[in-house]
């Protein structure tokens, strides 16, 4: 593998990331082999030296953006996953929630919305049935009338969920059955930050997800991740086949649960619970580059996410720092600039 030299002064400041930023980086392939010291072998596969993961497939939808690439393909859909799979990436990342009637479905937001008699109404995904969930957006069956989806973003604005290439909502089982088998899945276990979950509820949800994974994963590489520390820790206890990573923004937002408020706390969570690594917001490791060293000294993995990963120089710097993978939105751009 060869890397293009990048001067540190060429890396943009953390507040200069634009929605249009081009992305280019190296992606290694997953390969079978013998487990060596310092490497993690899962289901007969070793982590490559550097991994590229498609965020929600071919990238998240930013409906408020002027960048058409962020409104090209419906995020978290079969179409998005398979479109990403045409490029030399290692994993697709997606969000899993469990409906009221115990079906794991793929959806990022806690609420799903539509217009009802001229009024915007939204329902919590975990409070509706599978049939209600699938009634939103394009329908698989001819003749079925869809409920056009609306999305409410963090600042309260509401947008029609319009993309160039739309697709139906889907279940976790469908993703296993219909997405290219060579691609790994980074399954984010999605929970609402505003809810305090009892262990019994968390365990029920995780067991429902595991039933599908155990039945359909076969030899596909799987990685579990979650911002919910108790969910991550419990998933580690419930199974030992797949690695579990703790998601953190490294302190850019403050939560009542102190375990979510710094890289140091994230390391503690992993070490105390036997987790395999951390998925960090990329700005956190640039603000605190020593954290990567501490993570590696603790024999933990480190992957990053965030808009700064749409800047080529920032990705190259992470490779040099020892980061093991990045979650990215601009998947086609990655493929065009891959170097081996």
């Amino acid at each position: 593998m060869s890397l293009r030299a990048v001067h540190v002064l060429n890396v943009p400041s953390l507040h200069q990331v634009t929605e249009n930023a081009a992305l280019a980086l190296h992606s290694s392939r997953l390969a079978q082999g013998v487990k060596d010291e310092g490497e993690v072998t899962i289901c007969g596969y070793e982590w490559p030296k550097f991994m590229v993961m498609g965020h929600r497939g071919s990238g998240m939808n930013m409906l408020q953006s002027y960048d058409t690439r962020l409104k090209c393909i419906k995020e978290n859909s079969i179409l998005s996953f398979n479109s990403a799979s045409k490029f030399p990436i290692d994993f697709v990342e997606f969000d899993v929630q469990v409906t009221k009637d115990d079906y794991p479905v793929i959806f990022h937001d806690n609420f799903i919305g539509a217009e009802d008699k001229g009024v915007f109404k939204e329902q919590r995904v975990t409070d509706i049935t599978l049939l209600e969930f699938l009634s939103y957006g394009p329908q698989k069956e001819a003749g079925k009338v869809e409920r056009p989806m609306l999305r409410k973003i963090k600042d309260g604005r509401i947008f029609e969920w319009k993309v160039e290439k739309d697709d139906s909502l889907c279940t976790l089982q469908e993703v296993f059955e219909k997405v290219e088998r060579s691609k790994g899945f980074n399954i984010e276990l999605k929970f609402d930050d505003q809810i305090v979950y009892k262990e019994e509820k968390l365990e029920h949800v995780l067991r429902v997800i595991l039933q599908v994974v155990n039945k359909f994963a076969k030899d596909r590489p799987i990685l579990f991740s979650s911002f919910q520390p108790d969910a991550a820790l419990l998933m580690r206890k419930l199974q030992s086949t797949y690695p579990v990573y703790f998601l953190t923004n490294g302190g850019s937002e403050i939560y009542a649960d102190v375990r979510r408020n710094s890289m140091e706390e994230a390391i503690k969570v992993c070490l105390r619970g036997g987790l395999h690594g951390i998925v960090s917001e990329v700005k956190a490791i640039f603000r605190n580059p020593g954290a990567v060293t501490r993570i590696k000294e603790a024999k933990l993995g480190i992957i990053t996410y965030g808009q700064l990963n749409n800047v080529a120089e920032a990705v190259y710097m992470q490779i040099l720092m020892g980061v093991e993978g990045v979650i990215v939105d601009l998947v086609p751009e990655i493929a065009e600039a891959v170097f081996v």
Side-chain angles (χ1 to χ4, degrees), residues 65 70 112 148 291:
S65 174
L70 299 175
I112 188 167

Side-chain angles (χ1 to χ4, degrees), residues 50-101:
F50 191 74
M51 292 181 293
V52 178
M53 302 184 179
H55 187 208
R56 306 182 200 171
S58 295
M60 67 175 176
N61 295 152
M62 292 186 65
L63 304 176
Q64 71 275 25
S65 174
Y66 292 106
D67 190 337
T68 57
R69 294 174 298 180
L70 299 175
K71 296 181 285 189
C72 181
I73 304 174
K74 182 70 153 289
E75 70 177 36
N76 276 335
S77 67
I78 301 293
L79 177 61
S80 185
F81 302 141
N82 279 329
S83 295
S85 296
K86 295 176 182 177
F87 300 95
I89 64 172
D90 303 297
F91 279 67
V92 289
E93 179 271 353
F94 54 80
D95 311 274
V96 174
Q97 303 184 57
V98 174
T99 61
K100 180 181 179 181
D101 50 347

Side-chain angles (χ1 to χ4, degrees), residues 189-225:
L189 308 167
K190 190 79 178 179
F191 295 92
D192 192 330
D193 292 339
Q194 307 305 315
I195 295 177
V196 177
Y197 294 90
K198 293 183 179 180
E199 184 173 346
E200 295 79 10
K201 176 63 175 177
L202 289 176
E203 181 171 351
H204 176 77
V205 169
L206 297 182
R207 286 192 182 278
V208 169
I209 293 170
L210 276 173
Q211 284 179 356
V212 175
V213 173
N214 290 338
K215 184 174 182 181
F216 295 99
K218 298 179 181 177
D219 60 350
R220 188 191 296 271
I222 302 292
L223 164 67
F224 289 115
S225 59

Side-chain angles (χ1 to χ4, degrees), residues 10-130:
N10 290 332
V11 177
S13 105
L14 301 185
H15 303 293
Q16 292 177 323
V17 184
T18 67
E19 293 171 350
N20 298 348
L23 192 87
L25 47 94
H26 168 75
S27 172
S28 302
R29 301 270 53 80
L30 288 167
Q32 287 185 304
V34 178
K35 179 179 179 181
D36 295 324
E37 186 176 354
E39 295 178 332
V40 182
T41 298
I42 300 120
C43 296
Y45 286 87
E46 295 174 1
W47 295 119
K49 293 295 182 183
F50 191 74
M51 292 181 293
V52 178
M53 302 184 179
H55 187 208
R56 306 182 200 171
S58 295
M60 67 175 176
N61 295 152
M62 292 186 65
L63 304 176
Q64 71 275 25
S65 174
Y66 292 106
D67 190 337
T68 57
R69 294 174 298 180
L70 299 175
K71 296 181 285 189
C72 181
I73 304 174
K74 182 70 153 289
E75 70 177 36
N76 276 335
S77 67
I78 301 293
L79 177 61
S80 185
F81 302 141
N82 279 329
S83 295
S85 296
K86 295 176 182 177
F87 300 95
I89 64 172
D90 303 297
F91 279 67
V92 289
E93 179 271 353
F94 54 80
D95 311 274
V96 174
Q97 303 184 57
V98 174
T99 61
K100 180 181 179 181
D101 50 347
D102 285 346
Y103 285 92
V105 295
I106 314 302
F107 200 73
H108 173 269
D109 301 359
N110 295 316
F111 293 87
I112 188 167
E115 185 177 299
D116 182 13
K117 298 178 180 178
V119 178
F120 172 71
K121 290 189 177 180
E122 54 185 359
Q123 296 176 289
R124 185 180 292 278
V125 172
T126 55
D127 285 345
I128 61 178
T129 66
L130 175 63

Side-chain angles (χ1 to χ4, degrees), residues 164-288:
E164 183 182 333
K165 300 175 183 177
D166 211 344
D167 196 19
S168 305
L169 299 178
C170 59
T171 67
L172 181 58
Q173 179 177 332
E174 287 179 297
V175 172
F176 275 111
E177 293 175 333
K178 298 179 180 179
V179 173
E180 165 61 43
R181 292 215 56 83
S182 66
K183 304 304 177 185
F185 288 168
N186 177 352
I187 301 175
E188 181 182 337
L189 308 167
K190 190 79 178 179
F191 295 92
D192 192 330
D193 292 339
Q194 307 305 315
I195 295 177
V196 177
Y197 294 90
K198 293 183 179 180
E199 184 173 346
E200 295 79 10
K201 176 63 175 177
L202 289 176
E203 181 171 351
H204 176 77
V205 169
L206 297 182
R207 286 192 182 278
V208 169
I209 293 170
L210 276 173
Q211 284 179 356
V212 175
V213 173
N214 290 338
K215 184 174 182 181
F216 295 99
K218 298 179 181 177
D219 60 350
R220 188 191 296 271
I222 302 292
L223 164 67
F224 289 115
S225 59
S226 185
F227 283 104
Q228 221 291 349
D230 292 323
L233 294 169
L234 187 53
M235 180 57 89
R236 180 70 179 92
K237 291 179 180 178
L238 292 175
Q239 59 84 43
S240 58
T241 304
Y242 305 109
V244 182
Y245 276 47
F246 181 43
L247 269 159
T248 180
N249 60 31
S252 60
E253 293 181 55
I254 300 301
Y255 299 89
D257 190 333
V258 296
R259 296 173 295 177
R260 300 188 60 183
N261 291 341
S262 70
M263 294 294 286
E264 288 69 26
E265 287 295 329
I267 293 171
K268 289 178 186 177
V269 169
C270 291
L271 293 179
R272 290 171 181 170
L275 303 186
H276 299 84
I278 293 169
V279 181
S280 171
E281 214 290 338
V282 59
K283 291 181 184 179
I285 67 164
F286 280 129
R287 290 192 176 111
N288 184 10

